[in-house]
Amino acid sequence: MGTRTVLQHPDITRALTRIAHEILEANHGASDLVLLGIPTRGAVLAERLDRVLADIEPEWAADRDQRLGTLDVTMHRDDLGHGIGRAPHRTTIPTSGIDGKVVVLVDDVLYSGRTVRAALDALQGIGRPRAVRLAVLVDRGHRELPIRADHVGKNLPTAADERVTLRLTETDGTDEVVIEQHETTQHETTRHEPPQHEQGVAP
């Protein structure tokens, strides 16, 4: 299994700063904006984005406690019936709610798009936003659903048999994005079997 590091702490910080500026520019300011992070690492990234937005936008800083939340998508995933156990996380809605707001979903790695689809389903049960946008740190491609991120920290072309892993200081003790390459063994080559479809950290 070969591993290479593609992003480190300074790269992640720069990417989040750029995303924060893009969010404000697309919305023409901070009016009616809320962030909902998708646990686990998407929620951590949302907290970091919240701090960046507070530093650069006074309107955000004035009432930031009303703008940040988390959105658990566990019960809306389409892989629950496939023996994949996932512990539910807590959904926390900003005190201002999401009705009529521009909701920015924040996730770590965009892959198949199924996590985002589950997030859109989860949103229906808690309110009716005016618009929903998606911000991700990494877009690795290989989409299975017609979902596109509005704000991307890094487009990272990958092979289907590679695994993209994001580690953050708050959850893992370090900041980095690594790609793990599945090494084909001689036995696998002889049998001419196609590589298995692997999931990224956030499908």
Side-chain angles (χ1 to χ4, degrees):
M1 182 79 71
T3 301
R4 69 182 190 274
T5 301
V6 292
L7 293 178
Q8 295 180 316
H9 175 73
D11 308 304
I12 294 173
T13 298
R14 282 192 295 269
L16 291 175
T17 300
R18 186 175 69 254
I19 288 174
H21 282 281
E22 288 180 0
I23 289 172
L24 291 173
E25 182 177 358
N27 196 63
H28 305 291
S31 179
D32 291 332
L33 267 177
V34 297
L35 298 180
L36 291 182
I38 300 175
T40 300
R41 289 166 185 82
V44 175
L45 293 174
E47 291 174 356
R48 293 194 187 185
L49 275 174
D50 169 60
R51 293 194 291 269
V52 176
L53 288 166
D55 287 340
I56 62 180
E57 177 54 56
E59 183 180 350
W60 184 277
D63 56 1
R64 56 187 295 195
D65 59 324
Q66 301 179 33
R67 296 174 176 269
L68 177 65
T70 59
L71 181 66
D72 178 50
V73 305
T74 304
M75 301 312 296
H76 297 271
R77 298 187 61 95
D78 60 6
D79 56 10
L80 290 179
H82 297 274
I84 300 177
R86 297 180 185 270
H89 295 268
R90 182 182 177 188
T91 291
T92 57
I93 304 305
T95 56
S96 61
I98 67 169
D99 289 340
K101 301 297 178 62
V102 176
V103 173
V104 180
L105 295 174
V106 183
D107 205 4
D108 50 4
V109 180
L110 179 57
Y111 186 26
S112 68
R114 295 185 178 276
T115 295
V116 179
R117 182 206 61 79
L120 294 174
D121 287 347
L123 272 180
Q124 294 181 9
I126 60 176
R128 185 176 181 179
R130 173 161 55 88
V132 180
R133 296 173 184 155
L134 175 63
V136 298
L137 181 64
V138 172
D139 185 346
R140 63 164 296 186
H142 302 284
R143 210 77 74 246
E144 297 174 3
L145 297 173
I147 288 173
R148 177 184 64 85
D150 300 280
H151 310 289
V152 178
K154 177 73 172 178
N155 285 293
L156 197 60
T158 58
D161 63 346
E162 292 177 323
R163 180 180 179 86
V164 176
T165 301
L166 168 65
R167 300 186 180 101
L168 296 174
T169 301
E170 294 90 334
T171 54
D172 311 288
T174 187
D175 273 9
E176 63 179 2
V177 175
V178 300
I179 296 179
E180 297 173 338
Q181 173 67 56
H182 176 72
E183 296 180 355
T184 303
T185 65
Q186 184 176 0
H187 177 64
E188 289 173 327
T189 303
T190 303
R191 293 171 60 188
H192 301 289
E193 291 185 354
Q196 293 185 356
H197 183 71
E198 294 188 353
Q199 293 293 323
V201 172

